[in-house]
């Protein structure tokens, strides 16, 4: 999950928070989680073991405000009663895909119907 991204450069994956954003989106891509579970999963990844819970909460809040993730229900927890479940948006799924593949790779490998869909979308 860490390291340089090989695909298209996107604003969400640039700057100081790039690797943490990418890690959070990859975790939420697999399943809907509350912020505490995202933090617990993040702590198991080398390079993020000492990431404070508050940093994860701030990143999740920022990603939600920028429409990269959305709240998709609630889950009961012990101390406060309930917590919001988060999932990634289609925008984030596309960003993760583009972070892996360059547009050149897509243009070389995509079938003709996909290229026509891309042209229609970009019009």
């Amino acid at each position: 999950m860490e390291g340089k991204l090989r695909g298209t450069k996107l604003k969400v994956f640039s700057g100081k928070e790039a690797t943490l954003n990418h890690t959070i989106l990859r975790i939420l891509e697999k399943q809907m989680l509350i912020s505490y579970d995202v933090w617990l999963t993040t702590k198991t990844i080398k390079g993020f073991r000492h990431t404070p819970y508050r940093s994860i909460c701030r990143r999740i809040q920022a990603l939600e405000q920028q429409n990269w993730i959305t709240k998709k229900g609630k889950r009961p927890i012990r101390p406060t009663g309930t917590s919001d479940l988060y999932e990634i948006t289609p925008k984030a799924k596309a960003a993760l895909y583009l972070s892996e593949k360059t547009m050149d790779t897509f243009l070389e490998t995509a079938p003709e119907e996909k290229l026509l869909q891309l042209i229609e979308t970009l019009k």
Side-chain angles (χ1 to χ4, degrees):
M1 282 194 196
E2 65 182 299
K4 292 255 182 200
L5 299 173
R6 293 178 292 278
T8 308
K9 291 184 179 184
L10 301 169
K11 189 174 181 182
V12 70
F13 301 132
S14 64
K16 191 164 83 170
E17 66 278 345
T19 56
L20 192 53
N21 284 348
H22 191 261
T23 303
I24 290 170
L25 291 178
R26 282 285 175 206
I27 290 168
L28 290 175
E29 179 183 32
K30 294 175 186 157
Q31 63 183 4
M32 292 190 308
L33 295 171
I34 62 173
S35 56
Y36 182 75
D37 291 337
V38 173
W39 176 64
L40 289 177
T41 307
T42 303
K43 286 181 58 135
T44 64
I45 300 168
K46 185 178 178 181
F48 294 99
R49 288 196 172 100
H50 301 291
T51 304
Y53 175 65
R54 188 70 194 129
S55 295
I56 299 294
C57 289
R58 279 192 216 122
R59 281 288 91 224
I60 287 176
Q61 189 175 30
L63 289 169
E64 183 188 6
Q65 288 175 350
Q66 297 168 2
N67 296 322
W68 294 104
I69 61 175
T70 59
K71 291 179 184 174
K72 201 65 168 188
K74 294 196 178 279
R75 191 181 90 193
I77 57 171
R78 273 191 168 154
T80 58
T82 60
S83 185
D84 294 319
L85 283 166
Y86 293 97
E87 77 172 358
I88 65 172
T89 61
K91 173 181 166 181
K93 286 180 185 179
L96 289 170
Y97 178 76
L98 286 172
S99 72
E100 293 172 356
K101 306 218 184 271
T102 63
M103 194 54 85
D104 289 333
T105 306
F106 175 74
L107 292 173
E108 290 172 7
T109 60
E112 191 170 324
E113 64 243 13
K114 294 288 184 187
L115 293 172
L116 293 173
Q117 284 178 350
L118 177 65
I119 292 168
E120 286 297 316
T121 304
L122 294 174
K123 281 186 180 179

